[in-house]
Amino acid sequence: MFDKKTIRDIDLQGKRVLVRVDFNVPIKNGLVGDDTRIRAALPTLEYLIGHQAILILCSHLGRPDGSPDVKYSLKPVAEHLSQLLSKPVGFADDCIGAITTSKVAALKPGDILVLENTRFHAGETKNDADMARQLAALADIFVNDAFGSAHRAHASTEGVAHFLPAVAGFLMEKEIQYLGDVISAPEKPFVAILGGAKVSDKIGVIRNLSAKADVILIGGGMANTFFKAEGYPVGESLVEDEALDQAREFLKIGKTQIRLPVDVKIADKFAEDAAWKLMPTGPIPNGWMILDIGPETVIAYAKVIKKAKTVIWNGPMGVFEFPEFAKGTFGVAQAIANSQATSIIGGGDSVAAIQQSGLAGKISHISTGGGASLEMLEGLSLPGVTILLDK
Ligand code: ADP
Ligand code: MG
């Protein structure tokens, strides 16, 4: 159960509301690229506007080194937001300080002001109490809707919530409902699909999900380490010798649960134009590397997915950046799209893959947070959520 107060639980009328959003979007030539994260905040913003709040929005963008850098300005984001909402959106050149305070003082109910990048101050990532206090001084209420930043205890995500009544926005609520509630009490059968580059990145995820999932389908680079743990030579494939013991342990505990690919697509180099061939799982010839799961595996995994009531997916099944090696990932994406299950996808590259596949509309929930979604899948609580008021 999502047990935090949300914007539904607090009086907003005429109140100055500081909203932490995740507007960390790609900027090219002064324009917003993919605006998924901005759109994801709109339900919260529209609700606040509708309830006559005064909106003050803050976010980080990129990784400036604690001082202003025009490359990472949120100004283009403010302009883009103005188009999305079809209404004027103000902009303050700093997120704290005298000019910002006077801009905030001039706002009326329904107005929106976007503050400059919080990471233009070194205090942001240090969760500096003084910076948090200055942010809090701008408003009456703090709303955290920045799921993608909630795994970090920074001044604008966690610190500020010590000084104001702090509640969740709708995006935050939805993310936690899917990545927390659905996964802790899934409708069964519950199938987890795990791939991506490395086992070591996902040990916590595998451990947590193996306690809950009926079946775990493994693919991607991490499968190689499992193959090696089973005793196959993997040729030139990406493999983590440091994680072999861990993989053996998982195979022992999850004997009936963990499925490995039954066939693989191997390549003679790590490149888009590599020569390739399919082979059943087994010793990989010298000079070759696994870059994707094979079609028999897609069929086998699709059968499992078809029976599922809940599916969680993190990590591509192959090097989907190269079209020839994207087929396993897209095949699994198609199987999820065809199924009736509640489907959840988390992880930066996994989300990019589902968007490329054109099947995003068929997924129940696509997370806006990469690192934050992984921490949720590990079963961790996020500092930016923990600090919010309990229901
Ligand atoms: P996410 O961001 O969704 O959590 P990861 O970052 O763990 O996913 O993994 C994504 C990366 O894994 C992709 O860049 C993909 O190319 C790579 N990958 C998948 N399969 C393989 C493989 N067999 N060999 C090498 N890299 C792989
Ligand atoms: Mg990634």
Side-chain angles (χ1 to χ4, degrees):
M1 260 291 288
F2 185 69
D3 54 3
K4 295 296 180 179
K5 285 197 175 168
T6 73
I7 47 178
R8 282 185 216 92
D9 304 314
I10 198 160
D11 180 26
L12 298 163
Q13 170 79 41
K15 297 283 183 358
R16 293 170 304 160
V17 180
L18 179 68
V19 191
R20 178 52 158 99
V21 282
D22 180 6
F23 283 174
N24 182 25
V25 293
I27 304 284
K28 255 202 193 133
N29 307 322
L31 291 172
V32 171
D34 178 7
D35 66 353
T36 307
R37 285 179 165 171
I38 304 176
R39 288 175 186 275
L42 293 179
T44 294
L45 303 183
E46 278 160 356
Y47 183 92
L48 294 172
I49 296 165
H51 284 73
Q52 290 293 299
I54 296 164
L55 283 73
I56 308 154
L57 312 189
C58 66
S59 177
H60 79 282
L61 192 155
R63 293 172 182 262
D65 62 1
S67 58
D69 181 342
V70 67
K71 226 177 31 244
Y72 298 113
S73 175
L74 277 158
K75 194 157 193 198
V77 175
E79 283 158 10
H80 192 87
L81 178 65
S82 169
Q83 286 168 21
L84 291 178
L85 289 168
S86 317
K87 74 183 253 135
V89 169
F91 184 74
D93 288 320
D94 197 351
C95 65
I96 48 178
I99 295 172
T100 306
T101 306
S102 68
K103 283 212 165 177
V104 167
L107 297 172
K108 294 186 294 299
D111 286 352
I112 308 174
L113 179 71
V114 172
L115 307 182
E116 186 55 286
N117 196 337
T118 51
R119 288 199 191 166
F120 285 1
H121 292 270
E124 165 71 336
T125 54
K126 291 183 189 142
N127 199 4
D128 175 58
D130 188 52
M131 176 164 173
R133 229 179 260 113
Q134 289 189 62
L135 282 167
L138 299 171
D140 306 305
I141 295 168
F142 176 64
V143 171
N144 196 346
D145 212 24
F147 173 74
S149 309
H151 58 311
R152 301 193 177 105
H154 289 174
S156 72
T157 62
E158 200 270 352
V160 62
H162 290 270
F163 304 109
L164 284 175
V167 301
F170 294 142
L171 173 63
M172 183 71 89
E173 179 186 45
K174 184 167 157 233
E175 291 272 11
I176 307 284
Q177 279 169 344
Y178 276 100
L179 291 160
D181 300 356
V182 171
I183 286 165
S184 58
E187 225 192 309
K188 299 236 167 189
F190 176 28
V191 175
I193 309 163
L194 297 176
K198 295 180 179 171
V199 184
S200 57
D201 290 343
K202 309 281 169 82
I203 300 231
V205 176
I206 304 173
R207 185 176 296 127
N208 184 45
L209 290 178
S210 57
K212 301 185 168 81
D214 300 294
V215 185
I216 300 180
L217 306 173
I218 303 269
M222 73 157 70
N224 307 340
T225 301
F226 283 96
F227 289 146
K228 189 160 179 185
E230 292 211 310
Y232 302 122
V234 292
E236 313 308 310
S237 305
L238 173 70
V239 70
E240 289 171 285
D241 288 319
E242 339 60 84
L244 279 175
D245 284 341
Q246 188 64 254
R248 275 190 208 105
E249 173 95 24
F250 283 133
L251 286 172
K252 210 162 80 194
I253 305 167
K255 228 183 269 152
T256 54
Q257 215 179 3
I258 293 184
R259 305 281 164 82
L260 295 178
V262 294
D263 63 341
V264 289
K265 186 178 273 183
I266 58 173
D268 65 348
K269 58 179 174 182
F270 189 87
E272 188 159 352
D273 62 350
W276 58 268
K277 50 190 179 187
L278 293 166
M279 61 171 277
T281 298
I284 305 302
N286 279 337
W288 290 77
M289 62 184 78
I290 303 169
L291 293 189
D292 199 5
I293 60 173
E296 296 300 328
T297 306
V298 171
I299 291 170
Y301 285 7
K303 271 191 194 141
V304 175
I305 292 165
K306 195 172 177 189
K307 293 194 201 114
K309 288 269 166 54
T310 310
V311 175
I312 169 84
W313 183 15
N314 168 259
M317 296 288 101
V319 182
F320 74 99
E321 296 90 339
F322 302 153
E324 189 54 51
F325 306 101
K327 293 183 180 169
T329 298
F330 290 171
V332 164
Q334 186 66 58
I336 300 173
N338 293 347
S339 90
Q340 301 295 310
T342 299
S343 50
I344 304 165
I345 298 182
D349 293 293
S350 312
V351 169
I354 196 71
Q355 265 148 7
Q356 266 181 44
S357 76
L359 298 165
K362 299 254 163 80
I363 307 301
S364 315
H365 182 68
I366 297 177
S367 179
T368 56
S373 69
L374 284 180
E375 294 203 9
M376 288 295 295
L377 296 182
E378 289 178 46
L380 302 175
S381 44
L382 311 181
V385 179
T386 305
I387 187 70
L388 301 177
L389 291 173
D390 292 320
K391 256 214 175 97

